[in-house]
DNA sequence: TGTACATCAGTGAACGCGCGTTCACTGATGTAC
DNA sequence: TGTACATCAGTGAACGCGCGTTCACTGATGTAC
Protein backbone atom coordinates (compact mmCIF):
# COMPACT_ATOMS: atom_id res chain seq x y z
CA UNK A 1 0.00 0.00 0.00
CA UNK A 2 1.71 3.15 -1.20
CA UNK A 3 1.75 6.10 1.22
CA UNK A 4 1.74 9.83 0.56
CA UNK A 5 5.04 11.75 0.54
CA UNK A 6 4.25 13.30 3.87
CA UNK A 7 3.52 9.92 5.44
CA UNK A 8 6.67 8.45 3.89
CA UNK A 9 8.82 11.20 5.38
CA UNK A 10 7.17 10.72 8.76
CA UNK A 11 7.73 6.97 8.63
CA UNK A 12 11.39 7.44 7.80
CA UNK A 13 11.82 9.91 10.63
CA UNK A 14 10.10 7.53 13.02
CA UNK A 15 12.45 4.69 12.04
CA UNK A 16 15.52 6.87 12.62
CA UNK A 17 14.25 8.08 15.99
CA UNK A 18 13.28 4.58 17.13
CA UNK A 19 16.67 3.24 16.06
CA UNK A 20 18.44 6.09 17.81
CA UNK A 21 16.64 5.28 21.05
CA UNK A 22 17.17 1.49 20.85
CA UNK A 23 20.83 1.80 19.82
CA UNK A 24 21.48 4.03 22.82
CA UNK A 25 19.60 1.69 25.14
CA UNK A 26 20.84 -1.72 23.99
CA UNK A 27 23.82 -1.00 21.74
CA UNK A 28 24.09 -1.01 17.96
CA UNK A 29 25.14 -4.62 17.48
CA UNK A 30 22.54 -5.96 19.88
CA UNK A 31 19.64 -4.16 18.19
CA UNK A 32 18.20 -5.88 15.12
CA UNK A 33 16.37 -4.24 12.23
CA UNK A 34 13.27 -6.34 12.91
CA UNK A 35 13.09 -5.02 16.48
CA UNK A 36 13.47 -1.43 15.30
CA UNK A 37 10.77 -1.80 12.65
CA UNK A 38 8.34 -3.51 15.04
CA UNK A 39 8.94 -0.81 17.65
CA UNK A 40 8.24 1.79 14.94
CA UNK A 41 4.93 0.04 14.15
CA UNK A 42 6.00 -1.53 10.85
CA UNK A 43 7.07 -4.91 9.46
CA UNK A 44 10.75 -5.38 8.78
CA UNK A 45 10.35 -6.00 5.03
CA UNK A 46 9.76 -2.33 4.33
CA UNK A 47 13.07 -1.22 5.76
CA UNK A 48 14.88 -1.11 2.43
CA UNK A 49 12.35 1.33 0.94
CA UNK A 50 13.96 3.92 3.22
CA UNK A 51 17.60 2.86 3.72
CA UNK A 52 20.29 1.13 1.71
CA UNK A 53 21.68 -0.80 4.66
CA UNK A 54 21.78 -1.04 8.45
CA UNK A 55 25.02 0.94 8.36
CA UNK A 56 23.24 3.87 6.73
CA UNK A 57 20.59 3.81 9.46
CA UNK A 58 23.31 3.63 12.11
CA UNK A 59 24.94 6.79 10.74
CA UNK A 60 21.64 8.67 10.68
CA UNK A 61 20.50 7.39 14.07
CA UNK A 62 23.79 8.35 15.70
CA UNK A 63 23.50 11.79 14.11
CA UNK A 64 19.96 12.15 15.43
CA UNK A 65 21.10 11.11 18.90
CA UNK A 66 23.82 13.74 18.88
CA UNK A 67 21.38 16.41 17.76
CA UNK A 68 19.04 15.57 20.59
CA UNK A 69 21.95 16.01 23.01
CA UNK A 70 22.62 19.49 21.62
CA UNK A 71 18.96 20.34 22.09
CA UNK A 72 19.04 19.20 25.71
CA UNK A 73 22.12 21.34 26.32
CA UNK A 74 20.43 24.36 24.73
CA UNK A 75 17.38 23.81 26.92
CA UNK A 76 19.45 23.41 30.08
CA UNK A 77 21.50 26.57 29.52
CA UNK A 78 18.50 28.69 28.51
CA UNK A 79 18.87 32.08 30.14
CA UNK A 80 22.15 31.20 31.82
CA UNK A 81 25.54 32.49 30.73
CA UNK A 82 29.19 31.79 31.43
CA UNK A 83 30.05 29.72 34.48
CA UNK A 84 26.44 29.20 35.46
CA UNK A 85 25.64 27.75 32.05
CA UNK A 86 28.65 25.44 32.23
CA UNK A 87 27.66 24.34 35.71
CA UNK A 88 24.11 23.62 34.53
CA UNK A 89 25.47 21.42 31.74
CA UNK A 90 27.69 19.50 34.16
CA UNK A 91 24.92 18.97 36.74
CA UNK A 92 22.52 17.81 34.08
CA UNK A 93 24.94 15.57 32.19
CA UNK A 94 26.25 13.90 35.33
CA UNK A 95 22.86 13.53 37.02
CA UNK A 96 21.34 10.17 37.97
CA UNK A 97 18.47 10.82 35.57
CA UNK A 98 20.89 10.86 32.66
CA UNK A 99 22.79 7.85 34.01
CA UNK A 100 19.59 5.79 34.28
CA UNK A 101 18.09 6.96 31.00
CA UNK A 102 20.64 5.96 28.39
CA UNK A 103 17.90 5.52 25.76
CA UNK A 104 17.34 9.27 25.60
CA UNK A 105 20.80 10.38 26.68
CA UNK A 106 24.19 11.13 25.24
CA UNK A 107 25.05 9.00 22.20
CA UNK A 108 28.77 9.11 22.95
CA UNK A 109 28.43 7.71 26.45
CA UNK A 110 26.11 4.88 25.45
CA UNK A 111 27.82 3.78 22.24
CA UNK A 112 31.40 5.10 22.27
CA UNK A 113 33.20 1.77 22.06
CA UNK A 114 30.94 0.61 19.23
CA UNK A 115 31.38 3.93 17.43
CA UNK A 116 35.16 3.52 17.57
CA UNK A 117 34.70 0.40 15.40
CA UNK A 118 31.95 1.81 13.15
CA UNK A 119 32.33 2.58 9.44
CA UNK A 120 33.81 5.84 8.20
CA UNK A 121 30.51 7.62 7.58
CA UNK A 122 29.32 7.01 11.13
CA UNK A 123 32.67 8.04 12.60
CA UNK A 124 32.58 11.26 10.57
CA UNK A 125 29.08 12.05 11.80
CA UNK A 126 30.24 11.37 15.35
CA UNK A 127 33.40 13.45 15.03
CA UNK A 128 31.45 16.44 13.72
CA UNK A 129 28.92 16.11 16.51
CA UNK A 130 31.73 15.98 19.05
CA UNK A 131 33.23 19.18 17.68
CA UNK A 132 29.81 20.86 17.67
CA UNK A 133 29.30 19.89 21.31
CA UNK A 134 32.74 21.15 22.28
CA UNK A 135 32.13 24.44 20.46
CA UNK A 136 28.74 24.90 22.09
CA UNK A 137 30.30 24.47 25.53
CA UNK A 138 33.36 26.60 24.71
CA UNK A 139 30.93 29.37 23.71
CA UNK A 140 29.92 29.53 27.37
CA UNK A 141 33.51 30.40 28.35
CA UNK A 142 33.80 33.91 26.91
CA UNK A 143 36.42 35.10 29.39
CA UNK A 144 38.97 32.49 28.29
CA UNK A 145 41.19 32.70 25.23
CA UNK A 146 39.57 30.69 22.39
CA UNK A 147 42.28 27.99 22.38
CA UNK A 148 42.02 27.63 26.15
CA UNK A 149 38.22 27.50 26.01
CA UNK A 150 38.36 24.80 23.33
CA UNK A 151 40.93 22.74 25.22
CA UNK A 152 38.94 23.08 28.45
CA UNK A 153 35.72 22.11 26.69
CA UNK A 154 37.38 19.09 25.02
CA UNK A 155 38.62 17.89 28.39
CA UNK A 156 35.30 18.59 30.08
CA UNK A 157 33.34 16.64 27.46
CA UNK A 158 35.70 13.63 27.44
CA UNK A 159 35.82 13.54 31.22
CA UNK A 160 32.01 13.69 31.48
CA UNK A 161 31.62 10.93 28.90
CA UNK A 162 34.09 8.74 30.80
CA UNK A 163 32.46 9.38 34.15
CA UNK A 164 28.92 8.77 32.91
CA UNK A 165 29.99 5.59 31.14
CA UNK A 166 31.80 4.20 34.17
CA UNK A 167 28.92 5.15 36.46
CA UNK A 168 26.79 2.86 34.29
CA UNK A 169 29.34 0.05 34.24
CA UNK A 170 29.91 -0.43 37.95
CA UNK A 171 27.68 -2.73 39.89
CA UNK A 172 27.67 -0.79 43.12
CA UNK A 173 25.27 2.12 43.65
CA UNK A 174 27.57 3.97 46.05
CA UNK A 175 30.55 3.67 43.74
CA UNK A 176 28.42 4.82 40.81
CA UNK A 177 27.37 7.91 42.78
CA UNK A 178 31.00 8.55 43.77
CA UNK A 179 32.10 8.54 40.15
CA UNK A 180 29.46 11.11 39.20
CA UNK A 181 30.19 13.17 42.32
CA UNK A 182 33.96 13.19 41.80
CA UNK A 183 33.56 14.37 38.22
CA UNK A 184 31.07 17.11 39.14
CA UNK A 185 33.37 18.37 41.88
CA UNK A 186 36.54 18.38 39.81
CA UNK A 187 34.96 19.93 36.74
CA UNK A 188 33.16 22.64 38.71
CA UNK A 189 36.45 23.78 40.26
CA UNK A 190 37.90 25.33 37.17
CA UNK B 1 42.43 -37.05 22.51
CA UNK B 2 42.66 -36.47 26.25
CA UNK B 3 45.36 -34.09 27.42
CA UNK B 4 47.34 -34.00 30.66
CA UNK B 5 46.19 -31.72 33.49
CA UNK B 6 49.02 -29.31 32.79
CA UNK B 7 48.15 -29.09 29.12
CA UNK B 8 44.47 -28.63 29.95
CA UNK B 9 45.23 -25.73 32.26
CA UNK B 10 47.47 -24.15 29.62
CA UNK B 11 44.78 -24.53 26.97
CA UNK B 12 42.21 -22.89 29.20
CA UNK B 13 44.54 -20.01 29.97
CA UNK B 14 45.26 -19.56 26.28
CA UNK B 15 41.54 -19.39 25.46
CA UNK B 16 40.99 -16.72 28.12
CA UNK B 17 43.95 -14.66 26.97
CA UNK B 18 42.98 -14.93 23.30
CA UNK B 19 39.40 -13.93 24.12
CA UNK B 20 40.60 -11.03 26.22
CA UNK B 21 42.67 -9.73 23.33
CA UNK B 22 39.95 -10.18 20.68
CA UNK B 23 37.19 -8.72 22.89
CA UNK B 24 39.30 -5.63 23.46
CA UNK B 25 40.15 -5.34 19.77
CA UNK B 26 36.77 -6.04 18.16
CA UNK B 27 34.24 -5.88 20.99
CA UNK B 28 32.50 -8.67 22.88
CA UNK B 29 29.41 -9.01 20.71
CA UNK B 30 31.39 -8.92 17.47
CA UNK B 31 33.77 -11.69 18.51
CA UNK B 32 32.48 -15.24 18.05
CA UNK B 33 33.57 -18.34 19.96
CA UNK B 34 34.71 -20.02 16.74
CA UNK B 35 37.07 -17.13 16.01
CA UNK B 36 38.49 -17.23 19.53
CA UNK B 37 39.05 -20.99 19.43
CA UNK B 38 40.66 -20.86 15.98
CA UNK B 39 42.93 -18.02 17.08
CA UNK B 40 43.88 -20.13 20.12
CA UNK B 41 44.78 -23.03 17.80
CA UNK B 42 41.75 -25.22 18.57
CA UNK B 43 38.44 -26.22 17.03
CA UNK B 44 35.33 -24.60 18.46
CA UNK B 45 33.73 -27.87 19.59
CA UNK B 46 36.04 -28.18 22.56
CA UNK B 47 35.01 -24.87 24.08
CA UNK B 48 32.48 -26.36 26.47
CA UNK B 49 35.08 -28.66 28.08
CA UNK B 50 36.45 -25.47 29.67
CA UNK B 51 33.52 -23.08 30.05
CA UNK B 52 29.81 -23.29 30.72
CA UNK B 53 28.89 -20.47 28.37
CA UNK B 54 30.21 -17.49 26.44
CA UNK B 55 29.13 -15.29 29.35
CA UNK B 56 31.47 -17.16 31.68
CA UNK B 57 34.35 -16.64 29.27
CA UNK B 58 33.45 -12.96 28.99
CA UNK B 59 33.67 -12.53 32.75
CA UNK B 60 37.06 -14.26 32.93
CA UNK B 61 38.45 -12.51 29.86
CA UNK B 62 37.42 -9.10 31.16
CA UNK B 63 39.04 -9.95 34.50
CA UNK B 64 42.24 -10.99 32.72
CA UNK B 65 42.22 -7.76 30.71
CA UNK B 66 41.93 -5.71 33.88
CA UNK B 67 44.77 -7.61 35.52
CA UNK B 68 47.01 -6.95 32.57
CA UNK B 69 46.26 -3.23 32.95
CA UNK B 70 47.34 -3.34 36.59
CA UNK B 71 50.56 -5.04 35.55
CA UNK B 72 51.28 -2.34 32.98
CA UNK B 73 50.71 0.33 35.61
CA UNK B 74 53.02 -1.42 38.04
CA UNK B 75 55.67 -1.64 35.34
CA UNK B 76 55.29 2.01 34.36
CA UNK B 77 55.57 3.33 37.91
CA UNK B 78 58.50 1.08 38.83
CA UNK B 79 60.95 3.14 40.84
CA UNK B 80 58.83 6.28 40.71
CA UNK B 81 56.85 7.69 43.60
CA UNK B 82 54.19 10.33 44.21
CA UNK B 83 53.56 12.89 41.47
CA UNK B 84 56.14 11.40 39.14
CA UNK B 85 54.44 8.01 39.30
CA UNK B 86 51.04 9.58 38.63
CA UNK B 87 52.46 11.53 35.72
CA UNK B 88 54.00 8.34 34.28
CA UNK B 89 50.62 6.62 34.44
CA UNK B 90 48.91 9.54 32.67
CA UNK B 91 51.53 9.79 29.92
CA UNK B 92 51.43 6.06 29.31
CA UNK B 93 47.64 5.69 29.42
CA UNK B 94 47.00 8.66 27.15
CA UNK B 95 49.80 7.87 24.70
CA UNK B 96 49.21 7.15 21.01
CA UNK B 97 50.61 3.64 21.49
CA UNK B 98 47.79 2.83 23.90
CA UNK B 99 45.21 4.54 21.67
CA UNK B 100 46.29 2.49 18.64
CA UNK B 101 46.70 -0.79 20.51
CA UNK B 102 43.29 -1.47 22.00
CA UNK B 103 43.86 -5.24 21.80
CA UNK B 104 46.43 -5.09 24.58
CA UNK B 105 45.14 -1.99 26.33
CA UNK B 106 42.67 -0.94 28.98
CA UNK B 107 39.59 -3.15 29.09
CA UNK B 108 37.38 -0.30 30.33
CA UNK B 109 38.19 2.00 27.44
CA UNK B 110 37.68 -0.64 24.76
CA UNK B 111 34.54 -2.31 26.11
CA UNK B 112 32.89 0.10 28.56
CA UNK B 113 29.55 0.49 26.80
CA UNK B 114 29.27 -3.28 26.33
CA UNK B 115 30.24 -3.89 29.96
CA UNK B 116 27.44 -1.57 31.09
CA UNK B 117 25.01 -4.06 29.50
CA UNK B 118 26.84 -7.24 30.56
CA UNK B 119 25.53 -9.78 33.08
CA UNK B 120 25.98 -9.33 36.81
CA UNK B 121 29.07 -11.51 37.16
CA UNK B 122 30.95 -9.55 34.52
CA UNK B 123 29.86 -6.23 35.98
CA UNK B 124 31.05 -7.33 39.43
CA UNK B 125 34.43 -8.34 38.05
CA UNK B 126 34.66 -4.98 36.29
CA UNK B 127 33.61 -2.99 39.36
CA UNK B 128 36.21 -4.69 41.52
CA UNK B 129 38.90 -4.09 38.92
CA UNK B 130 37.90 -0.43 38.75
CA UNK B 131 38.24 -0.07 42.51
CA UNK B 132 41.60 -1.86 42.44
CA UNK B 133 42.84 0.51 39.74
CA UNK B 134 41.62 3.55 41.65
CA UNK B 135 43.28 2.31 44.85
CA UNK B 136 46.57 1.61 43.06
CA UNK B 137 46.61 5.16 41.73
CA UNK B 138 45.47 6.72 45.01
CA UNK B 139 48.39 4.93 46.68
CA UNK B 140 50.66 7.21 44.67
CA UNK B 141 49.11 10.27 46.31
CA UNK B 142 50.43 9.90 49.88
CA UNK B 143 50.35 13.63 50.68
CA UNK B 144 46.59 13.86 50.17
CA UNK B 145 43.95 12.85 52.69
CA UNK B 146 42.72 9.34 51.81
CA UNK B 147 39.22 10.51 50.80
CA UNK B 148 40.69 13.23 48.61
CA UNK B 149 43.18 10.84 47.05
CA UNK B 150 40.37 8.37 46.28
CA UNK B 151 38.14 11.07 44.81
CA UNK B 152 41.01 12.44 42.73
CA UNK B 153 41.92 8.96 41.51
CA UNK B 154 38.30 8.16 40.62
CA UNK B 155 38.09 11.34 38.57
CA UNK B 156 41.47 10.77 36.98
CA UNK B 157 40.60 7.23 35.91
CA UNK B 158 37.14 8.13 34.52
CA UNK B 159 38.53 11.14 32.69
CA UNK B 160 41.36 9.08 31.17
CA UNK B 161 38.92 6.37 30.07
CA UNK B 162 36.66 8.98 28.45
CA UNK B 163 39.53 10.73 26.71
CA UNK B 164 41.11 7.53 25.38
CA UNK B 165 37.73 6.26 24.18
CA UNK B 166 36.87 9.49 22.38
CA UNK B 167 40.37 9.71 20.87
CA UNK B 168 39.57 6.35 19.25
CA UNK B 169 36.10 7.39 18.11
CA UNK B 170 36.91 10.55 16.20
CA UNK B 171 37.86 10.36 12.57
CA UNK B 172 40.33 13.21 12.55
CA UNK B 173 43.94 12.63 13.61
CA UNK B 174 44.44 16.20 14.84
CA UNK B 175 41.27 16.14 16.91
CA UNK B 176 42.25 12.75 18.34
CA UNK B 177 45.63 14.16 19.40
CA UNK B 178 43.91 17.23 20.88
CA UNK B 179 41.69 15.05 23.05
CA UNK B 180 44.68 13.15 24.45
CA UNK B 181 46.67 16.37 24.85
CA UNK B 182 43.88 18.24 26.64
CA UNK B 183 43.42 15.38 29.11
CA UNK B 184 47.15 15.05 29.79
CA UNK B 185 47.44 18.80 30.40
CA UNK B 186 44.42 19.10 32.67
CA UNK B 187 45.20 16.00 34.71
CA UNK B 188 48.87 16.90 35.16
CA UNK B 189 47.94 20.30 36.63
CA UNK B 190 46.64 19.02 39.92
C1' DT C 1 55.94 -52.17 38.39
C1' DG C 2 52.55 -53.76 35.12
C1' DT C 3 47.84 -54.30 33.31
C1' DA C 4 42.83 -53.10 32.54
C1' DC C 5 39.70 -49.69 32.44
C1' DA C 6 37.33 -45.29 33.25
C1' DT C 7 37.96 -40.50 32.25
C1' DC C 8 37.76 -36.62 29.48
C1' DA C 9 40.29 -32.87 26.14
C1' DG C 10 39.72 -32.13 21.69
C1' DT C 11 37.49 -33.05 16.86
C1' DG C 12 34.14 -32.18 13.45
C1' DA C 13 29.42 -32.37 12.14
C1' DA C 14 25.05 -30.83 13.35
C1' DC C 15 21.24 -28.19 15.93
C1' DG C 16 17.89 -24.22 16.15
C1' DC C 17 17.84 -19.39 15.95
C1' DG C 18 18.09 -14.58 14.70
C1' DC C 19 20.57 -11.73 11.79
C1' DG C 20 20.72 -8.49 7.42
C1' DT C 21 18.88 -8.66 3.06
C1' DT C 22 15.77 -9.86 -1.00
C1' DC C 23 11.53 -10.39 -3.41
C1' DA C 24 6.74 -11.12 -5.31
C1' DC C 25 2.78 -8.99 -4.28
C1' DT C 26 -0.90 -5.32 -2.86
C1' DG C 27 -3.30 -1.22 -3.47
C1' DA C 28 -3.40 3.83 -2.47
C1' DT C 29 -0.87 7.82 -4.33
C1' DG C 30 0.68 10.87 -7.79
C1' DT C 31 0.93 11.92 -12.72
C1' DA C 32 -0.33 12.47 -17.58
C1' DC C 33 -3.81 13.41 -20.69
C1' DT D 1 -12.40 17.96 -13.50
C1' DG D 2 -12.28 13.15 -14.58
C1' DT D 3 -10.00 8.88 -16.15
C1' DA D 4 -6.07 5.50 -16.92
C1' DC D 5 -1.88 4.15 -15.54
C1' DA D 6 2.77 4.06 -13.53
C1' DT D 7 4.87 4.43 -9.10
C1' DC D 8 6.26 2.76 -4.84
C1' DA D 9 5.43 2.27 0.70
C1' DG D 10 4.47 -1.45 3.15
C1' DT D 11 3.54 -6.72 3.81
C1' DG D 12 5.00 -11.26 4.76
C1' DA D 13 7.60 -15.14 3.30
C1' DA D 14 12.03 -16.58 2.15
C1' DC D 15 17.28 -16.41 1.47
C1' DG D 16 22.07 -17.61 3.09
C1' DC D 17 24.92 -16.99 6.94
C1' DG D 18 27.15 -17.04 11.38
C1' DC D 19 25.98 -17.35 16.00
C1' DG D 20 26.05 -20.13 20.67
C1' DT D 21 25.43 -24.68 21.87
C1' DT D 22 25.22 -29.93 21.63
C1' DC D 23 26.86 -34.46 20.66
C1' DA D 24 28.92 -38.96 19.07
C1' DC D 25 33.34 -40.18 18.65
C1' DT D 26 38.66 -40.72 19.38
C1' DG D 27 42.51 -42.00 21.92
C1' DA D 28 46.00 -40.46 25.36
C1' DT D 29 45.87 -39.74 30.39
C1' DG D 30 45.14 -40.99 35.04
C1' DT D 31 43.52 -44.47 38.33
C1' DA D 32 42.63 -48.90 40.57
C1' DC D 33 44.26 -53.28 41.47
Amino acid sequence: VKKSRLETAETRKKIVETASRLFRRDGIHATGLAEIMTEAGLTHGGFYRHFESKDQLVAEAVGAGCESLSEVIDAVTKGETGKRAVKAIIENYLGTKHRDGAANGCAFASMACELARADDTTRSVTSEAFVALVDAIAAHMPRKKPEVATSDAIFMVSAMIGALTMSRVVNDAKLSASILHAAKEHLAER
Side-chain angles (χ1 to χ4, degrees), chain A residues 1 3 22 28 43 54 61 63 70 78 99 102 107 121-122 132 146 167 174 178:
Chain A
V1 185
K3 294 299 175 76
L22 294 179
I28 295 171
T43 53
K54 182 181 181 180
S70 293
K78 218 68 189 176
R99 179 194 63 194
T121 308
T122 300
S167 80
K174 277 189 190 172
S178 303

Side-chain angles (χ1 to χ4, degrees), chain A residues 24-169:
Chain A
R24 280 181 280 174
R25 194 186 67 186
D26 302 329
I28 295 171
H29 234 95
T31 305
L33 294 181
E35 187 187 356
I36 294 166
M37 294 299 278
T38 302
E39 194 81 3
L42 298 156
T43 53
H44 68 280
F47 177 80
Y48 292 88
R49 292 282 166 201
H50 295 279
F51 305 96
E52 276 186 12
S53 63
K54 182 181 181 180
D55 280 343
Q56 193 194 334
L57 175 64
V58 169
E60 291 197 31
V62 168
C66 293
E67 267 181 51
S68 103
L69 177 63
S70 293
E71 282 165 23
V72 168
I73 284 182
D74 283 352
V76 157
T77 55
K78 218 68 189 176
E80 304 282 359
T81 52
K83 281 191 179 178
R84 294 181 60 178
V86 172
K87 175 141 191 164
I89 293 169
I90 294 170
E91 292 293 326
N92 182 75
Y93 192 98
L94 297 173
T96 51
K97 193 178 158 197
H98 190 189
R99 179 194 63 194
D100 301 333
N104 300 302
C106 174
F108 303 116
S110 51
M111 301 185 284
C113 58
E114 287 188 284
L115 293 174
R117 301 173 189 111
D119 67 18
D120 233 51
T121 308
T122 300
R123 288 182 71 207
S124 293
V125 168
T126 313
S127 299
E128 280 160 33
F130 180 79
V131 171
L133 177 59
V134 165
D135 287 347
I137 290 176
H140 288 110
M141 302 170 171
R143 311 188 72 169
K144 296 179 182 175
K145 273 200 274 183
E147 316 90 72
V148 175
T150 300
S151 168
D152 284 5
I154 286 178
F155 175 66
M156 183 178 139
V157 171
S158 350
M160 290 199 304
I161 291 169
L164 185 65
T165 302
M166 289 314 299
S167 80
R168 286 172 178 160
V169 168

